Amino acid sequence: MKNLGAFPIVSFVSFVSFVSIQAQQPQPPEPQFDPAAVERGQQLLASQCGFCHGSTGRGAASGPDLTRSELVQNDDNGTQLGAFLAVGRPDRGMPPFDLSRAQVSDLATFLHRAIYFASNRRLYKILDILVGDKQAGEAYFNGAGRCGTCHSPAGNLRGVGAKYDPVTLQGRLLLPRGRPPNPGGPPPPPLYTEPTAMKVSVTTPSGETASGALVRLTDFEVTLYEASSGRMRSWLRNGDVPKVVVTDPLQAHVDQLTKWTDADMHNMTAYLASLK
Ligand code: HEC
Ligand code: HEC
């Protein structure tokens, strides 16, 4: 009974680990998704498939939600997806794609991760919020994370914890590209109209330069959206002609993807969630 005095202090901690263990126990071991492959898959999806399936693959006006596709759900590391993409369903508006095995595998990794997160929302909610230490998150925000160079809790991140549920918040933290998912809502506007779209500048051999949001980039073609005129412009590509330079307004977030440890990410999610 001597220990009773200390109980209120340890109880929160043990409650936290109790809840997380309870939440984890009935689940199979958490699958690992290579963050670099996820990022490459997301970029590829946004640039090649986003036009029809939405920038996160969750569906848009001219293509279905890929995370609900049985074909994708039953895919094994890109095998079935790759076979499908090679032929597409041209008669129904799905063109064939000539992608490398590695590209298909990146796409598959991104989609399998999205499916996993979608089907484990409850688990993630509990783990993210209760396991993280928001003080440690705040310290990382102002310290090693260098988040304060672009954000402030009273400025552009004000109320971010009230704006999103924890799962969406963690997604925004990782890669805040496009609009957050809004299931059942109207389809999101095209990614290239968003301030977070990748930017591209194109310089022709005659020295003419154009720049705008990247719509599509393949070995054969580059298309950009010029916000000032509301126009799409395209060029055929042949090697380095015309010269194409892509920049990412979210480069800091992309660079951070490979630096996150699970602990830092949980702490940061807990900290951001507390910004109500
Ligand atoms: C021009 C629009 C367009 C583009 C670009 C596009 N798709 Fe599709 N996709 C569609 C349409 C439309 C369907 C539905 C076809 C049908 O009804 O059978 C579809 C179907 C699919 C399906 C099958 C869903 C199912 O379960 O039946 C997958 C998987 C898929 N697309 C993946 C992709 C990927 C990955 C990319 C990018 C590499 C991509 N699509 C690019 C229009 C598009
Ligand atoms: C070099 C600038 C830069 C740095 C550094 C940076 N971000 Fe961002 N961040 C952005 C931009 C640009 C956006 C997209 C525009 C926006 O939503 O404010 C963004 C968006 C976000 C969002 C989504 C906000 C929303 O309302 O959807 C969160 C959360 C966020 N950042 C957290 C962080 C954290 C945490 C760090 C540190 C690990 C960090 N950022 C580092 C530039 C940066």
Side-chain angles (χ1 to χ4, degrees), residues 38-57 66 95 97 99 103 106-107 110 175 177-178 190-192 196-200 213-219 221-224 232 237 246-248:
V38 168
E39 164 64 7
R40 288 192 304 267
Q42 154 127 47
Q43 308 246 353
L44 194 64
L45 187 106
S47 65
Q48 305 274 308
C49 329
F51 198 70
C52 298
H53 291 286
S55 60
T56 59
L66 295 179
F97 283 85
L99 299 173
Q103 286 176 311
D106 290 344
L107 278 174
F110 172 76
L175 197 62
R177 182 127 33 228
L191 187 63
Y192 57 79
T196 50
M198 291 205 262
K199 305 289 180 290
V200 63
L214 180 63
V215 175
R216 185 176 160 87
L217 180 63
T218 68
D219 284 347
E221 185 210 327
V222 55
T223 301
L224 62 77
M232 297 271 194
R237 298 183 72 199
V246 177
T247 49
D248 188 345

Side-chain angles (χ1 to χ4, degrees), residues 140-141 145-151 156-157 160 163-164 169 172-173 176 180 196 249-250 252-253 256 260 268 272:
Y140 190 83
F141 188 96
R146 302 176 52 82
C147 317
T149 54
C150 299
H151 298 295
N156 59 5
L157 290 181
V160 77
K163 192 163 139 195
Y164 301 123
L169 179 61
R172 301 298 290 171
L173 167 62
T196 50
L250 295 174
H253 279 258
Q256 178 69 29
W260 286 118
M268 185 60 75
L272 294 174

Side-chain angles (χ1 to χ4, degrees), residues 44-53 61-66 68-73 80-81 84-85 88-99 104 107-108 111 216:
L44 194 64
L45 187 106
S47 65
Q48 305 274 308
C49 329
F51 198 70
C52 298
H53 291 286
S62 42
D65 181 346
L66 295 179
R68 287 168 181 265
S69 153
E70 243 174 82
L71 189 149
V72 177
Q73 284 171 356
Q80 288 77 3
L81 180 63
F84 172 76
L85 289 176
R89 267 181 214 142
D91 53 321
R92 308 200 44 184
M94 169 67 201
F97 283 85
D98 183 17
L99 299 173
V104 173
L107 278 174
L111 289 170
R216 185 176 160 87

